[in-house]
Amino acid sequence: MENRDESKEIRNTPFQIKLPLFIALALMVGVLIGATTFSPSTSNPQDTAKGYLKFRDILTYIDRDYVDTVDIEELADYGIQKMLEKLDPHTAYIPADELALARSYLEGDFEGIGIEFNIFKDTIYVITPLSGGPSEAAGMLAGDKIIKVDGETVAGININNEGVFKRLRGPKGTQVKLTVLRPGTPKPLHFTIERSKIPTSSVDAGYMIDNKTGYIKVSRFSANTYQEFKQALTALRKKGMQQLLLDLRGNPGGYMDPAIQMADEFIAGNKLLVYTDGKGDKYDSETHARLKGDFEKGPLVVLLDEGSASASEIVAGALQDNDRGLIVGRRSFGKGLVQMPIPLNDGSELRLTISRYYTPSGRSIQKPYSGDAEEYEMDMLHRLESGEYFHPDSSLFVDSLKYRTAGGRAVYGGGGIMPDVFVARDTTALSEYLSQLYNKNIIREYTLNYYRNNRKVLDKMPLDKFRRSFQVTDRMLQEVVKMATAAEVEYNEQQFRRSKELLRNNLKAFIARSAYGNEGFFQVLHASDEEFQQALKYFNRAQRLAQGNI
C-alpha cells in the first residue's frame, strides 16, 4: 500500500544528511581533490546534475521507505560498480576495505610476518618463511600449520587468501600471536612475531640457460620491478650473457613506468616506445627512449601468452614495433586502457580510464569491448573454444588490422600483441587427474613433506647436481597417488599415464623450490616447458633482427 500522506513530517536520517556529499564524491570527485588534478568535464553539466539527483532521490526513498532494512552504503557501492561496467572493463570502484589488498600487489613491499603460504584442506600451511623476515627469525619452518591467529581459530573455517592477509599483515612494529602445529612435534608451538617491512619480488628468476643465453622471468610490474630487473640483467651480463629470453607469460601488468624503463634498456636512441590518447589532449602523451641501456644490442626473444596484459604489452609492443625483439608465443590479453586512481573521502578509490595505449606503429592494445562485462570476462574461454590457443586466428590477419614496424615488417592489431612466431599451447600431457592433484593441493603438500623429511640431504646438494642426478621415482609417484586417493581424488590409470612424465617434472620442480627457491623451481620446470623450449630455437632469427636484417 502506498503512503500518500504528503503532510506527514519527514525527518532526515543521518544517512540522508550525508547523502549529497556521498554521491558528489562518487560522481564528481575531481571537484574535491583539486581542479589541477582532475577537472570534471563541462561538456554536459545539466545531464550530470540530473543523474546525480536521480541517484540521490532513489537512495533516499529506499533508506526512508523500503519495507526492509537495507545497508545503503553497500547498495550504493553495488550501484556504482554496475554503472562503471557500462563504461569499459577496467574502470573500477574499489571499496575502502579492499583497497589495501589491491594496492599491496603493486607495492614493492608490505608489512607483515613474512611467509609464503598456501591453504591445504582448510588449513594454512607455511610454504617457506621469507628470507630475512620476522617469521624466519622466530624459527618458523616450511610445513608448519597455522591453526590460531591471536587466539582465533583459523583452521576449518573455510578461510581464503584475503582472510589470511587481513590477519597476518599489519603495521610495522605490531605483534601477532600464532599457534602452530609442526609435524613430529606432539604439542602446539606458540610464536609471538613482530611485523616488519617485507620486500616482495616481481622478478621470479634470472639465470644462465647456457654459457651465452640468459633468462629473466618477470611476474608483474610493481614499484620495484625495474630495479629488480636491472639487477638481474647486470648479473647475467657479468656471467657472459650474449642473448636473452625475457619471459612475460602470465604477467598481468601493473605500473607503466617500470615497463617503459625496461623497454628503454633494450632500445637505443630516442625512439618512440608508447603513446596515449584520451579525451581532448589533457591525457595525451608520447614516451621515447632516453637512456643508454645495458642490452641495446644482441638477440632478444620475448615469451608472451594470453595472460600477458597491460604493462607487459607495452614492453612487447615497443620491442616489436622498433624491430628490437622477436615475440614468441600467443596473442596477449589486450588490456590497453590507462586508469587514473582517484581517492574518495571514505577511503575507497575510483580507478577511471582516461586514455588508451598505442604501440609506436599505431596499434591500440585494447581488445574490443561491447559493454557486456560477463562476455568480456569469457574472452579467454572463447579463444580456447575457437582453437586460437592451437593455431593463429586468421580473422586477426586482415589488411584493416595491418600496421608496419620501423623496419617495414607487417604487424597486426585487433587487440593484444600478436607474436612474430606462434607457439601452440602444449596440452599433450594435461589431464583431469593432474588438474585434481593441483586443485586438492596434493603436489604441493607431498613435496613439502618430502623436503622436510629429506632436508639435511637436499640442503647439502648443489642445484646443478640436483638437476642432473635427482630422480622422482615410481615409488614417489605411487605415494602421490595414495595421498590423492585418501583425499578423494579418483584414480584414473589412462590419465595418470598421460600425465606421468609431466607430474614427475612438476614434483621435482616443487621440491627444488623448497630447497633452492624460485631459481631452482624454474630451471627444473623448464625442462618440460614446450613454449620455453620452442623459444630457444628462434635466437638465430632474433640475431638477424638485432642486426637490422628485417
Side-chain angles (χ1 to χ4, degrees):
M1 181 178 67
E2 293 184 350
N3 181 358
R4 296 188 179 274
D5 184 0
E6 297 180 359
S7 65
K8 181 178 180 180
E9 180 183 3
I10 297 177
R11 291 178 295 177
N12 288 327
T13 66
F15 167 78
Q16 288 171 285
I17 294 170
K18 294 186 290 183
L19 181 61
L21 177 61
F22 176 79
I23 301 179
L25 284 166
L27 299 182
M28 297 186 291
V29 64
V31 175
L32 298 179
I33 66 172
T36 57
T37 304
F38 179 75
S39 300
S41 171
T42 57
S43 62
N44 200 350
Q46 290 183 343
D47 282 356
T48 301
K50 287 179 181 178
Y52 153 64
L53 292 172
K54 185 186 297 184
F55 195 27
R56 183 200 67 180
D57 289 347
I58 289 173
L59 284 176
T60 299
Y61 282 121
I62 292 172
D63 181 49
R64 190 185 67 196
D65 299 327
Y66 185 67
V67 63
D68 294 323
T69 301
V70 176
D71 185 332
I72 293 294
E73 188 166 354
E74 181 180 337
L75 190 65
D77 285 354
Y78 178 79
I80 291 169
Q81 289 165 350
K82 286 299 180 182
M83 174 177 65
L84 297 181
E85 286 180 7
K86 292 296 182 182
L87 302 180
D88 68 78
H90 299 295
T91 289
Y93 167 75
I94 303 176
D97 60 351
E98 298 177 14
L99 189 59
L101 184 60
R103 284 177 174 169
S104 69
Y105 179 79
L106 293 177
E107 297 304 323
D109 50 34
F110 61 90
E111 293 175 347
I113 68 169
I115 61 166
E116 180 184 344
F117 71 90
N118 210 335
I119 300 173
F120 304 139
K121 299 178 182 177
D122 208 12
T123 301
I124 305 167
Y125 279 71
V126 177
I127 301 299
T128 184
L130 299 181
S131 179
S135 291
E136 181 185 56
M140 294 191 69
L141 299 176
D144 284 352
K145 305 176 187 179
I146 301 175
I147 59 172
K148 289 185 179 181
V149 178
D150 288 330
E152 176 193 2
T153 298
V154 293
I157 63 169
N158 294 318
I159 197 168
N160 56 19
N161 287 342
E162 184 176 353
V164 178
F165 289 143
K166 286 181 177 179
R167 289 166 173 82
L168 298 186
R169 290 186 179 181
K172 179 181 178 180
T174 60
Q175 292 184 337
V176 59
K177 296 180 180 180
L178 304 182
T179 302
V180 169
L181 293 180
R182 177 171 294 167
T185 303
K187 294 183 179 180
L189 302 174
H190 301 279
F191 296 90
T192 299
I193 301 175
E194 183 173 303
R195 297 180 178 97
S196 66
K197 188 75 76 174
I198 308 298
T200 58
S201 175
S202 54
V203 174
D204 286 347
Y207 71 91
M208 293 295 291
I209 300 170
D210 54 37
N211 59 6
K212 67 176 183 178
T213 308
Y215 170 87
I216 297 177
K217 166 73 172 176
V218 183
S219 60
R220 66 186 186 277
F221 286 89
S222 64
N224 292 340
T225 296
Y226 173 67
Q227 289 77 11
E228 294 173 23
F229 168 77
K230 181 82 169 179
Q231 184 178 4
L233 184 66
T234 300
L236 294 180
R237 293 286 282 168
K238 288 180 179 179
K239 293 179 181 179
M241 184 189 76
Q242 301 172 33
Q243 56 190 28
L244 174 66
L245 177 56
L246 176 63
D247 192 347
L248 298 179
R249 289 176 297 173
N251 183 322
Y255 291 139
M256 180 178 177
D257 285 349
I260 291 170
Q261 292 173 303
M262 183 182 295
D264 201 353
E265 284 295 320
F266 301 114
I267 297 174
N270 67 338
K271 296 173 183 175
L272 182 63
L273 302 179
V274 66
Y275 69 92
T276 63
D277 185 29
K279 183 184 291 185
D281 58 8
K282 182 174 183 179
Y283 298 113
D284 296 354
S285 67
E286 288 189 359
T287 304
H288 295 257
R290 60 185 182 87
L291 300 175
K292 181 172 177 57
D294 276 355
F295 197 63
E296 294 182 347
K297 297 181 180 179
L300 173 64
V301 173
V302 181
L303 263 172
L304 214 64
D305 68 6
E306 55 282 345
S308 309
S310 184
S312 299
E313 297 171 299
I314 290 173
V315 174
L319 295 174
Q320 188 178 50
D321 284 6
N322 284 294
D323 301 299
R324 177 62 191 94
L326 190 73
I327 311 300
V328 176
R330 293 181 297 279
R331 179 166 68 106
S332 62
F333 182 86
K335 196 276 188 186
L337 299 175
V338 185
Q339 282 74 52
M340 177 173 67
I342 303 172
L344 308 182
N345 84 328
D346 67 342
S348 60
E349 185 174 276
L350 173 65
R351 294 185 179 177
L352 183 68
T353 296
I354 56 171
S355 58
R356 290 182 173 86
Y357 288 122
Y358 292 84
T359 70
S361 68
R363 292 178 290 166
S364 172
I365 293 173
Q366 180 63 35
K367 62 187 176 184
Y369 178 60
S370 65
D372 186 336
E374 185 175 347
E375 180 71 14
Y376 185 84
E377 292 172 0
M378 296 293 285
D379 177 62
M380 295 294 103
L381 178 60
H382 295 331
R383 293 193 197 188
L384 175 63
E385 292 173 343
S386 69
E388 187 181 335
Y389 291 164
F390 308 104
H391 53 75
D393 185 349
S394 59
S395 69
L396 297 172
F397 294 89
V398 294
D399 287 344
S400 62
L401 299 174
K402 183 184 290 186
Y403 295 79
R404 294 287 177 181
T405 68
R409 293 188 303 142
V411 289
Y412 292 86
I417 302 299
M418 300 292 291
D420 300 306
V421 178
F422 178 83
V423 177
R425 177 187 281 186
D426 181 20
T427 60
T428 55
L430 300 181
S431 67
E432 177 63 24
Y433 184 71
L434 182 63
S435 296
Q436 286 297 310
L437 295 183
Y438 274 106
N439 292 342
K440 295 284 189 176
N441 286 305
I442 302 301
I443 292 175
R444 201 69 184 96
E445 186 172 4
Y446 177 83
T447 54
L448 274 174
N449 290 336
Y450 185 90
Y451 172 69
R452 185 177 59 249
N453 294 334
N454 297 274
R455 184 172 185 172
K456 291 182 180 180
V457 174
L458 291 169
D459 285 353
K460 294 179 181 179
M461 186 183 299
L463 175 57
D464 285 345
K465 182 178 180 180
F466 177 88
R467 289 177 57 199
R468 291 192 310 268
S469 62
F470 184 87
Q471 297 292 327
V472 174
T473 64
D474 287 345
R475 179 181 177 179
M476 291 170 67
L477 292 178
Q478 290 307 311
E479 289 171 349
V480 171
V481 170
K482 184 178 180 180
M483 179 182 290
T485 302
E488 299 182 347
V489 177
E490 184 177 353
Y491 180 68
N492 185 302
E493 176 69 23
Q494 182 180 3
Q495 293 182 11
F496 172 77
R497 290 185 179 277
R498 177 179 178 178
S499 302
K500 184 176 181 179
E501 294 311 312
L502 180 59
L503 173 59
R504 204 186 295 272
N505 168 269
N506 288 185
L507 290 169
K508 182 174 178 178
F510 277 106
I511 293 170
R513 170 172 276 172
S514 294
Y516 311 102
N518 272 344
E519 184 171 331
F521 174 76
F522 283 105
Q523 288 193 41
V524 173
L525 197 69
H526 288 153
S528 293
D529 184 341
E530 183 61 23
E531 295 166 18
F532 175 92
Q533 297 296 334
Q534 286 291 321
L536 296 179
K537 298 177 181 179
Y538 290 98
F539 272 110
N540 287 338
R541 184 168 165 181
Q543 174 72 51
R544 295 194 296 271
L545 193 64
Q547 293 172 342
N549 185 1
I550 307 300

